[in-house]
Amino acid sequence: MPTSTPLSKSSRIKRWSQSLTGQILIIMALGVASAQFISSTIWLRQLESDTEENVREVSKHMAFRIAATVSYFKSLPTNYRHIVIDQLQDMGGTRFFVTLNKEEIRINNIPDSPLKDIVKNEVQSTLVKQLGIHDAKISFSSPSDLHVINNQTRLVDLPERWGHHSLLVKPLTPPIIVIQIPVNDTDWLYLASLMPDPYFLEGTSALSGDRLFSMAMSVITVLLLTILILRRVTRPLATLARAAERFGQGDWKPIKEVGSVEVRNTAKAFNDMQRRIQRYLNDRERLFASISHDLKTPITRLRLRAEMLDEDDIRDAMIRDLEDLDMLVKGALQSVKETDIHENRIEVNISRMLTDMQSTANIHDTKLTVVGELEHPFIGKPLAIKRCLGNLVDNALYYGKTATVYIEDDEDEVCIRICDQGPGIPIDKMDKVFQPYTRLTPDHSGHPGGMGLGLSIARNIARAHGGEVTLSNHIEQGLEAKLWLPRH
């Protein structure tokens, strides 16, 4: 027995992405995000260019001050260098933190960046040009990890008056540039200075946290406004689609002409089309009713006159022709009436219909088997559905003697397969059998639908419900008639 399975999450997403609302929202989201990303990238590129130029200018001035300081200390007599340094430390330091160390201090470098290279190159080139110093060690350190005097002492371990005022700017933590120059075989001149901008060495990205948040807020705002607009635009379109579907199923009702100018014009054109088609259908029904009424009397008179003929052969031939004519007229009226049933759409118990047909067909022997049942209610025209199923089952039992009906049901559609064990239908006549008055065998005595209208009526009813009837031969033997009815 087929079981119904709810729509998966991926199926819902796929259906939503194929809707007008989903496609417009996706395009808008991608457009806004792309525009935000491109504008942020261009802005950051320009900012980086300006920052590089500013850093280069600031670095030049710093490099000259560093060169002047190094030149001053190298010009001092060796015995006075420590005295000057002690005095500077007692005074709280200057723009630079300067010491004479007995070893090269190991500096934990901060991560490399293009701006860091600019500062380093400017300082190094200035020391070379101004002082001819080629062996200067230039590094960058964070204040909390800066080692001074020796490799065991950090800046934060020193008294505040020694260098905190010149190298620490709380609560900020700007990077510190450190220049170490060997002045002789035993001493290293150690010079440290704050970078002018606390943030200039920090890298920038078009996808930073703040920019991602700004981008997300922009996209959400645009999507919310787009949803409001789309709901106003698509609501009349959805109403129009439902009205078209109802009209295709025989339920004529004009729709309100509201919305934008284009939507109002579309609704007006649709209402005019409905009225024209409805007038045509009404005229057709009246025409066939009139033909039926007008032909009954002459056919009856001709039959009476034919029975009064003396020649038996001529009389029998004329009566047969009149019976065929009467059958054609009745068949045409039956085709019109049965495919244009005026009923309301209600919940239809298809399983019960097939069970009743099974009971009727199996009074003496088992001829009809029903497998499965309806899992969800189906909304349709009950008499029309019953007539459609009856025609398909009658055909299967007439040509195949026995038949099996399979009910396959889910949330989107109902599929009923009627399989018989008959001779099947030649491939080249599959479409032809749906045409009115088409009979594949000449003898139809005992077949209630012997005028060749059963399949035509069944397909018309299915299509009036938005579905379809198809035929296919089994590989071994028999024919399968498949009735597909969508849920709306």
Side-chain angles (χ1 to χ4, degrees):
M1 180 186 300
T3 58
S4 61
T5 56
L7 286 176
S8 63
K9 187 175 181 180
S10 60
S11 299
R12 292 192 183 96
I13 294 175
K14 182 178 180 181
R15 176 179 294 180
W16 176 84
S17 64
Q18 292 174 347
S19 67
L20 177 62
T21 300
Q23 291 180 2
I24 293 179
L25 289 178
I26 291 173
I27 292 173
M28 292 295 294
L30 292 177
V32 173
S34 300
Q36 286 277 345
F37 180 77
I38 292 172
S39 62
S40 297
T41 303
I42 295 173
W43 177 77
L44 285 174
R45 189 63 214 144
Q46 185 64 40
L47 180 63
E48 289 174 359
S49 178
D50 294 342
T51 303
E52 289 178 2
E53 187 62 29
N54 293 335
V55 168
R56 189 171 282 108
E57 289 297 323
V58 171
S59 299
K60 287 180 181 179
H61 296 295
M62 178 185 291
F64 281 114
R65 291 196 300 270
I66 292 173
T69 303
V70 172
S71 176
Y72 170 72
F73 274 93
K74 293 191 71 173
S75 66
L76 290 174
T78 304
N79 295 332
Y80 283 94
R81 291 174 181 172
H82 286 286
I83 296 173
V84 173
I85 290 174
D86 290 339
Q87 289 177 346
L88 290 174
Q89 291 173 350
D90 290 337
M91 293 169 58
T94 61
R95 185 186 299 271
F96 302 110
F97 178 86
V98 183
T99 64
L100 277 174
N101 303 324
K102 294 298 182 181
E103 59 182 339
E104 179 186 356
I105 307 300
R106 293 188 296 272
I107 304 298
N108 295 323
N109 259 314
I110 63 175
D112 292 334
S113 69
L115 296 180
K116 174 183 167 183
D117 294 336
I118 292 175
V119 177
K120 184 176 180 179
N121 292 335
E122 287 292 338
V123 174
Q124 200 161 29
S125 62
T126 301
L127 290 175
V128 172
K129 292 177 183 178
Q130 297 291 325
L131 305 176
I133 297 175
H134 295 272
D135 54 354
K137 307 292 185 180
I138 302 174
S139 308
F140 294 84
S141 174
S142 63
S144 61
D145 195 35
L146 177 62
H147 287 76
V148 295
I149 301 176
N150 55 54
N151 285 308
Q152 287 76 39
T153 306
R154 295 185 303 166
L155 175 64
V156 293
D157 299 329
L158 297 179
E160 289 190 4
R161 62 184 179 83
W162 280 28
H164 286 214
H165 295 296
S166 59
L167 295 182
L168 295 179
V169 185
K170 296 180 180 179
L172 303 178
T173 58
I176 296 175
I177 183 172
V178 179
I179 301 96
Q180 300 184 79
I181 302 171
V183 293
N184 51 46
D185 293 339
T186 59
D187 293 329
W188 286 78
L189 178 61
Y190 180 100
L191 187 146
S193 176
L194 277 173
M195 297 308 301
D197 186 349
Y199 305 107
F200 88 103
L201 288 183
E202 292 184 359
T204 57
S205 171
L207 295 178
S208 63
D210 292 340
R211 292 186 179 88
L212 284 175
F213 177 76
S214 175
M215 186 183 300
M217 293 304 298
S218 299
V219 171
I220 291 173
T221 302
V222 171
L223 291 184
L224 289 177
L225 294 175
T226 304
I227 289 174
L228 294 176
I229 297 173
L230 284 177
R231 288 186 62 184
R232 178 177 175 82
V233 172
T234 57
R235 188 182 294 113
L237 295 179
T239 301
L240 180 62
R242 288 192 297 269
E245 184 179 334
R246 288 197 307 268
F247 182 66
Q249 297 170 355
D251 183 11
W252 179 79
K253 185 178 181 181
I255 62 175
K256 295 181 180 179
E257 300 174 8
V258 295
S260 62
V261 174
E262 294 80 5
V263 174
R264 290 200 303 270
N265 291 338
T266 303
K268 184 177 183 302
F270 179 76
N271 286 333
D272 292 340
M273 181 195 69
Q274 285 190 109
R275 294 188 187 95
R276 288 194 299 270
I277 294 177
Q278 192 62 40
R279 283 197 301 268
Y280 164 75
L281 294 176
N282 293 337
D283 292 343
R284 186 190 69 164
E285 189 173 347
R286 286 193 295 269
L287 174 63
F288 275 92
S290 177
I291 291 174
S292 173
H293 180 270
D294 294 342
L295 287 180
K296 282 181 180 179
T297 301
I299 290 175
T300 302
R301 287 200 302 265
L302 288 173
R303 181 177 295 170
L304 291 174
R305 291 177 182 177
E307 290 177 353
M308 296 175 63
L309 293 175
D310 296 331
E311 293 82 354
D312 293 340
D313 295 339
I314 297 176
R315 182 177 66 250
D316 293 341
M318 289 188 66
I319 290 175
R320 285 196 301 272
D321 291 339
L322 290 172
E323 288 177 349
D324 290 340
L325 179 60
D326 187 42
M327 184 176 295
L328 289 175
V329 173
K330 291 180 179 178
L333 291 173
Q334 180 187 9
S335 177
V336 173
K337 291 180 179 179
E338 294 192 356
T339 57
D340 187 24
I341 301 175
H342 298 285
E343 354 174 33
N344 295 324
R345 294 170 59 85
I346 60 174
E347 186 175 312
V348 181
N349 193 335
I350 294 179
S351 298
R352 183 173 181 179
M353 286 183 181
L354 290 171
T355 302
D356 292 342
M357 294 179 188
Q358 181 183 24
S359 300
T360 302
N362 296 344
I363 293 177
H364 300 294
D365 298 316
T366 301
K367 297 180 180 179
L368 183 63
T369 305
V370 178
V371 179
E373 62 182 19
L374 207 66
E375 298 290 338
H376 307 279
F378 179 78
I379 305 300
K381 299 182 177 182
L383 292 179
I385 296 294
K386 183 176 182 179
R387 199 160 292 157
C388 175
L389 290 172
N391 289 347
L392 296 176
V393 170
D394 288 343
N395 274 349
L397 293 177
Y398 178 78
Y399 291 103
K401 308 305 180 186
T402 61
T404 303
V405 180
Y406 299 94
I407 302 176
E408 300 171 356
D409 185 23
D410 59 34
E411 292 182 349
D412 293 328
E413 62 186 30
V414 177
C415 181
I416 299 173
R417 297 186 295 113
I418 303 168
C419 305
D420 62 42
Q421 298 297 316
I425 298 176
I427 298 297
D428 58 339
K429 295 183 179 180
M430 281 289 185
D431 292 330
K432 186 178 180 181
V433 293
F434 286 104
Q435 299 176 6
Y437 307 110
T438 300
R439 311 176 198 176
L440 297 182
T441 57
D443 183 16
H444 282 261
S445 59
H447 186 206
M451 291 181 291
L453 294 171
L455 289 176
S456 175
I457 292 172
R459 171 174 275 187
N460 289 338
I461 291 174
R463 288 180 174 177
H465 283 77
E468 185 59 277
V469 172
T470 58
L471 302 176
S472 60
N473 289 317
H474 284 294
I475 298 177
E476 298 179 356
Q477 182 183 3
L479 181 74
E480 176 183 289
K482 182 178 179 180
L483 170 62
W484 171 75
L485 297 172
R487 298 182 182 275
H488 300 293

